[in-house]
Amino acid sequence: SKQSKSSNSSSSSLLHQVKQGYTLFKRVPTLGALFLETLTFQSLSTILNTILVTQLKQAVPDDGQRAAWTGNFYATVNGLSTVFQFFLFPFLTRKVEPKVIWRLMPLLPLFCTLVQCASSLDGGSGVLSFLPSALTSKPSAALYLIAVSFLTAKTMDYSLRNVLAELVYVPLDFESRFVGKEVIAVFANRFGKSGMALILSGWQFLRRGIGVGVGSAAFTGGSGGGGGLLGIALMASLGWWGSALRLSSLVLGKEEAEKVVAERMQLGGDEGINDDNKRRRQKDE
């Protein structure tokens, strides 16, 4: 009985959070756009990570060398993230509006995914001619393209996305900042990862059912695979780009955000805003 009560309370709490989030997103469209952007980015990050691991296993069969390659990759991610966050990002925020950065972030991962999809369709002839000859051998070219895409996504996530997301919350009222951040952290981040993991599991099951191995070119989207996982990655990249464009159209500019914050402080900070929100809800009821 205790377990049933706890399960009922957890389910009711979950439903309450969903209802509260829906009402909040309807009132503040910016939060809904940020929710969708977070969902699509986490989905893209998951699929890129899966493709990178698979391509790396094909290109570097030795476990020791593969572990060293992975260590160097994430060391590069951390190093670039540090440079971006402490040196480049402060300069960008002074010179460029946040909405412009939102629009630019998805472009490089999208470009790399498009190039690799085109390469998988024609076997790499012509499409990869801009790469050095040492990198155009299969599967090296596919590995480096997906590595650049994933490297860019993770670097921007650590150094730009998280900071830009915090800037989105700044001009909002207390309820939007507190509840909206909680809903996005609980649902968007986790659903983006777990949802894509479920899709990949289903994809893997279907591929195995028709006799295609997980490490094969047909599964990963290599030559002759007709797209494979790269098709999912391309859809996720386009989804992230579209959601980022939508979010950028709703995000306030720097001057507008500063003006909203100044007006909120004149009203007594969050307490004044909360009192105003309570009066508005009572009037609606």
Side-chain angles (χ1 to χ4, degrees):
S1 60
K2 291 183 179 180
Q3 291 181 350
S4 62
K5 288 182 180 180
S6 62
S7 61
N8 291 333
S9 62
S10 61
S11 60
S12 61
S13 177
L14 179 63
L15 291 175
H16 175 71
Q17 281 185 318
V18 173
K19 184 178 179 181
Q20 191 177 25
Y22 174 77
T23 304
L24 183 61
F25 292 166
K26 190 175 180 180
R27 180 172 68 86
V28 186
T30 304
L31 290 177
L34 182 59
F35 180 93
L36 185 59
E37 189 275 337
T38 304
L39 185 70
T40 53
F41 174 79
Q42 295 298 340
S43 300
L44 175 63
S45 180
T46 302
I47 183 66
L48 290 179
N49 183 42
T50 302
I51 298 176
L52 176 64
V53 170
T54 308
Q55 296 282 6
L56 181 60
K57 192 172 183 179
Q58 295 178 22
V60 187
D62 183 76
D63 292 341
Q65 294 180 0
R66 189 164 61 248
W69 195 99
T70 304
N72 291 333
F73 175 82
Y74 281 102
T76 304
V77 170
N78 293 330
L80 289 176
S81 299
T82 302
V83 173
F84 269 70
Q85 186 169 6
F86 291 101
F87 298 100
L88 183 59
F89 186 74
F91 172 79
L92 286 176
T93 52
R94 289 196 300 268
K95 301 294 183 180
V96 184
E97 288 284 349
K99 60 178 60 182
V100 177
I101 303 177
W102 278 115
R103 294 167 186 166
L104 295 177
M105 280 195 301
L107 293 182
L108 185 55
L110 176 60
F111 172 76
C112 292
T113 306
L114 282 171
V115 170
Q116 194 168 357
C117 284
S119 173
S120 69
L121 293 177
D122 71 347
S125 59
V127 178
L128 302 176
S129 58
F130 65 93
L131 291 174
S133 58
L135 301 181
T136 55
S137 60
K138 293 289 184 177
S140 296
L143 173 62
Y144 278 97
L145 279 173
I146 203 67
V148 170
S149 182
F150 189 50
L151 173 74
T152 305
K154 296 303 290 184
T155 300
M156 289 188 298
D157 184 32
Y158 294 151
S159 60
L160 297 179
R161 272 194 74 257
N162 291 331
V163 181
L164 288 174
E166 293 298 323
L167 293 178
V168 172
Y169 295 115
V170 170
L172 304 180
D173 58 85
F174 177 79
E175 182 186 12
S176 300
R177 296 201 308 272
F178 180 75
V179 179
K181 184 180 294 187
E182 181 182 14
V183 171
I184 290 173
V186 171
F187 290 99
N189 278 304
R190 296 178 184 177
F191 279 5
K193 296 176 182 178
S194 59
M196 181 55 66
L198 288 175
I199 293 174
L200 295 178
S201 297
W203 181 262
Q204 179 178 338
F205 177 79
L206 291 175
R207 287 293 188 176
R208 283 179 173 174
I210 60 176
V212 178
V214 177
S216 66
F219 180 78
T220 59
S223 179
L229 293 181
L230 285 175
I232 303 177
L234 179 59
M235 288 188 291
S237 298
L238 291 172
W240 183 32
W241 184 43
S243 61
L245 289 177
R246 167 65 176 166
L247 178 61
S248 68
S249 66
L250 297 173
V251 171
L252 296 179
K254 289 184 292 186
E255 294 183 358
E256 294 174 306
E258 291 174 356
K259 183 178 179 181
V260 170
V261 173
E263 292 176 352
R264 184 172 66 208
M265 297 305 296
Q266 291 178 357
L267 292 174
D270 287 324
E271 294 181 359
I273 297 295
N274 288 336
D275 293 338
D276 183 67
N277 288 338
K278 290 179 181 178
R279 288 193 296 267
R280 186 181 61 209
R281 290 197 199 94
Q282 292 175 356
K283 184 179 179 181
D284 293 339
E285 294 176 355

